[in-house]
């Protein structure tokens, strides 16, 4: 387990969340580009990662959940986060970098919550990881998100069935997610990007990163 205390954070931790098809990855990469263009040291990270646990998770996503218990699935995500924190997130935040993260603890709470786990129990299991300074939720209805995913080449069997995504969406909009800044993901890429930038740029000065 990683011994981390958020007081050790010198950098800034920005998280972009949303359903599949909400445009998280595009916006996260856009934000990194904008930060770098402004001379800041920013990195893009995503979960699941490309590490061994992340690859195991992608197997579930491609082949479906057959034979994988929900406990095993939850452990894979937590183990992946453990490794990501130790290898990537903590070193970057300690070095004063801006971490722009594409999915993190809220996805864990909403997706594995939709498998039947108590959201509070999942939050508790994630309490010792670095906590984001600001979280955006790119809001798109499950049907529309899934349509976008299908339009760009297909959905994952394990995670992207409509009934499941509707439950994920319901949980994302329920108790435990009050800290997220909700942005309408259907507004267009430029508008959403500007809204994110307008909330992030004032934070840079506060931590002496400007
Ligand atoms: P991925 O192919 O990376 O999807 P995307 O590009 O949409 O982010 O697969 C990620 C899937 O993993 C996604 O459907 C959400 C799910 N997920 C969880 O179920 N729990 C978690 O803790 C995380 C981080 C992701």
């Amino acid at each position: 387990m990683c011994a981390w205390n958020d007081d050790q954070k010198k950098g800034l931790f920005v998280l972009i969340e949303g359903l599949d098809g909400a445009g998280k990855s595009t916006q996260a990469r856009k934000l990194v580009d904008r930060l770098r263009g402004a001379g800041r040291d920013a990195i893009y990270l995503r979960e699941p990662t490309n590490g061994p646990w992340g690859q195991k998770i992608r197997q579930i996503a491609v082949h479906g959940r057959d034979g994988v218990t929900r406990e095993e699935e939850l452990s894979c995500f937590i183990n992946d986060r453990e490794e990501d924190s130790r290898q990537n997130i903590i070193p970057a935040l300690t070095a004063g970098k801006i971490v722009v993260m594409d999915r993190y603890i809220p996805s864990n709470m909403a997706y594995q919550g939709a498998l039947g786990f108590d959201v509070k129990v999942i939050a508790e299991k994630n309490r010792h990881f670095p906590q984001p300074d600001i979280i955006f939720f790119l809001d798109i209805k499950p049907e529309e998100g899934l349509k976008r995913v299908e339009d760009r080449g297909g959905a994952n069997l394990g995670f992207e069935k409509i009934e499941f995504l509707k439950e994920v969406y319901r949980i994302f909009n329920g108790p435990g997610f009050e800290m997220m800044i909700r942005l309408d993901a259907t507004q267009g890429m430029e508008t959403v990007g500007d809204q994110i930038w307008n909330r992030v740029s004032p934070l840079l000065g506060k931590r002496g990163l400007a």
Side-chain angles (χ1 to χ4, degrees):
M1 201 169 277
C2 52
W4 167 263
N5 175 330
D6 267 328
D7 297 341
Q8 296 163 261
K9 196 193 281 169
K10 292 206 190 70
L12 187 73
F13 191 1
V14 180
L15 171 61
I16 312 226
E17 280 284 357
L19 286 192
D20 311 81
K24 296 174 306 321
S25 309
T26 307
Q27 290 299 343
R29 289 179 194 278
K30 230 171 126 72
L31 178 60
V32 168
D33 287 348
R34 205 158 175 175
L35 287 162
R36 287 185 182 158
R40 270 78 180 217
D41 197 352
I43 59 163
Y44 169 83
L45 295 174
R46 68 183 288 207
E47 290 186 10
T49 67
N50 291 322
W53 292 105
Q55 285 174 27
K56 202 170 154 125
I57 291 164
R58 292 231 157 70
Q59 288 289 310
I60 304 175
V62 172
H63 299 295
R65 291 200 169 89
D66 285 351
V68 180
T69 67
R70 57 184 202 140
E71 284 77 16
E72 284 166 347
E73 181 175 317
L74 179 59
S75 300
C76 284
F77 281 107
I78 300 281
N79 291 342
D80 192 38
R81 188 157 305 121
E82 190 78 51
E83 200 168 82
D84 197 21
S85 296
R86 196 165 17 85
Q87 294 182 347
N88 305 312
I89 305 172
I90 292 176
L93 291 177
T94 311
K97 294 185 186 182
I98 302 165
V99 172
V100 180
M101 189 83 194
D102 179 350
R103 289 196 188 282
Y104 195 54
I105 299 167
S107 273
N108 208 181
M109 291 159 64
Y111 280 77
Q112 279 61 57
L115 285 181
F117 286 104
D118 185 337
V119 165
K120 287 203 211 86
V121 171
I122 303 176
E124 187 55 34
K125 282 184 187 288
N126 280 283
R127 217 168 41 92
H128 62 292
F129 294 120
Q131 300 297 313
D133 294 294
I134 186 165
I135 308 176
F136 295 98
F137 179 72
L138 307 191
D139 195 344
I140 194 161
K141 295 274 180 303
E143 294 83 354
E144 203 167 332
L146 192 56
K147 191 177 172 306
R148 286 193 188 174
V149 174
E150 282 165 356
D151 287 349
R152 72 177 181 221
N156 292 327
L157 267 179
F159 296 106
E160 296 169 2
K161 290 185 185 144
I162 189 65
E163 289 312 317
F164 183 72
L165 287 182
K166 282 186 182 165
E167 181 60 8
V168 172
Y169 187 71
R170 195 188 63 75
I171 297 175
F172 262 132
N173 285 290
F177 295 85
E178 294 79 6
M179 65 305 200
M180 300 194 306
I181 297 168
R182 287 159 199 281
L183 302 177
D184 178 353
T186 64
Q187 294 177 102
M189 221 164 67
E190 294 303 320
T191 308
V192 176
D194 287 345
Q195 290 172 345
I196 293 176
W197 181 252
N198 291 341
R199 301 297 290 255
V200 170
S201 47
L203 300 181
L204 300 174
K206 280 193 190 141
R207 201 153 286 156
L209 296 165

